[in-house]
Amino acid sequence: MYATIVVDAMGGDQGPVVPVTASLEVCRQNRLIHIILVGREPEIWQALPAGGSLPRNLEIVHAPDRIEMDDSPSAIVRKKSRSSFHVGMKLVAEKKGDAFFTVGNTGAAVAVAYFISGALPGISRPALAVVFPTLSQRKVVLLDLGATMEIKADTLLHFAVLGEAFSHCITGTATPRIKLLSVGEEQTKGRPVIIEAADRIGEKLNYGGFVEGNRLFKSPDADVVVTDGFTGNVSLKVIEGLSETIYDLFRAKLAPHHYWTKVPGFLFKALFGSTFQRFDYSRYGSAMLLGINHLVGIGHGRSNVGAFKSGILTLARYVDEGIQPKLARRVAATVARTDRHR
């Protein structure tokens, strides 16, 4: 598996420490993966272990502009052209890297990636997508998770096209089934934009109707679930937070029991951990930014080293599998087919 991943060293809640540590570990464990760390070079060197040397498959590229938490995405696009976002995305656009990964400001990352990479033909706005597990182990693509907050019916149609293509690329399903997240399964329920989008998606794709939030992990009977960025982002964080809370409550309830005082932590994880790990963000590491011309992954700002490594390795695997060109071809074919049917 050979890939060059451009990594934003400045994003995240803990500064360069996590990106640098994770990149070092990936490079030492995977000699065929090349990483370009992008950011303020003095701070990157400061985060490196004292006295250590860089692996041959790790390099540093300086990006002097600092992005502050209160910077607006539009201001970053216009005024901070030497930020780690800009420099990293330009390396990928110039084919010096195969993919870009960041856990920085999502809005700014989306704006810069969209500005530099450009949208796929026929797609108006990008979307962030994750693959989540259901009880039946079916892989379901959920999008959008925060790339586009304000949507129109056509935007949701384009999200459906992107999700359908991504699902096909990662699962091989010939015609992935698509549903819209709504407040009820009846086709008259939901906001007007959702109802209008349902009509448009139903005309062009393998559409299965509405799905309620309580069925997402039980039996959504879908390969793709589409929603707007605001709803998707809130839903994802509620899901992750609930999973973590239930795990903590479960362990706190069992631990005081005299039988459980003898159970080592590793055994507890072996018995119960796998259930909760299915919803652990650190195992997946990255949401994919779909709808642009290059491969971009965006992770949690609170990502630890394990989550960051997962994000890098996911992108490397997608590069190796040729996901981006496959997705672009699928989207182009779908757009051409649906345009003919207008």
Side-chain angles (χ1 to χ4, degrees), residues 270-338:
L271 292 172
F272 304 106
S274 61
T275 300
F276 296 95
Q277 284 174 2
R278 293 171 65 187
F279 309 106
D280 181 2
Y281 76 93
S282 66
R283 294 187 65 204
Y284 306 98
S286 176
M288 304 309 301
L289 184 61
L290 306 180
I292 60 175
N293 289 293
H294 299 91
L295 194 59
V296 174
I298 300 177
H300 274 288
R302 63 190 179 107
S303 292
N304 56 25
V305 171
F308 211 100
K309 288 173 64 177
S310 294
I312 294 172
L313 293 172
T314 296
L315 284 173
R317 187 177 75 252
Y318 284 167
V319 170
D320 188 58
E321 295 172 355
I323 290 294
Q324 181 65 28
K326 289 178 183 177
L327 185 140
R329 289 193 295 270
R330 178 80 174 193
V331 168
T334 302
V335 169
R337 185 182 70 251
T338 55

Side-chain angles (χ1 to χ4, degrees), residues 3-202:
T4 297
I5 310 300
V6 180
V7 173
D8 173 18
M10 307 309 296
D13 298 344
Q14 303 177 57
V17 174
V18 168
V20 169
T21 303
S23 297
L24 276 172
E25 291 186 9
V26 169
C27 286
R28 287 169 177 162
Q29 296 166 5
N30 304 269
R31 295 297 182 180
L32 295 181
I33 296 179
H34 181 81
I35 290 179
I36 304 174
L37 274 172
V38 179
R40 294 164 70 92
E41 192 168 357
E43 296 181 33
I44 295 175
W45 280 106
Q46 189 175 10
L48 288 164
S53 59
L54 289 182
R56 296 180 63 181
N57 53 338
L58 178 65
E59 64 176 295
I60 298 171
V61 172
H62 184 50
D65 285 351
R66 181 186 294 277
I67 295 175
E68 307 295 345
M69 289 302 295
D70 57 352
D71 286 341
S72 70
S74 59
I76 291 169
V77 170
R78 296 194 314 269
K79 299 178 181 179
K80 296 195 172 181
S81 60
R82 298 185 300 168
S83 73
S84 55
F85 288 163
H86 287 82
V87 175
M89 276 305 304
K90 285 177 181 176
L91 287 170
V92 175
E94 293 167 0
K95 299 184 179 180
K96 296 175 182 176
D98 299 306
F100 178 64
F101 180 61
T102 181
V103 298
N105 182 301
T106 299
V110 170
V112 172
Y114 183 70
F115 176 73
I116 293 175
S117 179
L120 290 174
I123 300 298
S124 59
R125 298 292 303 171
L128 276 168
V130 294
V131 182
F132 68 88
T134 63
L135 283 178
S136 64
Q137 300 297 320
R138 186 175 189 171
K139 292 182 178 179
V140 178
V141 176
L142 175 64
L143 75 168
D144 175 32
L145 301 174
T148 302
M149 299 293 183
E150 300 295 330
I151 51 96
K152 300 177 181 178
D154 278 343
T155 313
L156 290 172
L157 170 60
H158 295 168
F159 290 173
V161 171
L162 292 171
E164 194 267 359
F166 189 50
S167 176
H168 170 74
C169 290
I170 64 175
T171 68
T173 303
T175 54
R177 194 165 195 239
I178 301 158
K179 288 192 174 184
L180 278 164
L181 186 63
S182 192
V183 295
E185 294 185 357
E186 299 86 349
Q187 296 307 298
T188 56
K189 285 190 174 182
R191 292 180 294 163
V193 67
I194 301 292
I195 296 172
E196 183 181 353
D199 292 336
R200 298 193 183 189
I201 296 171

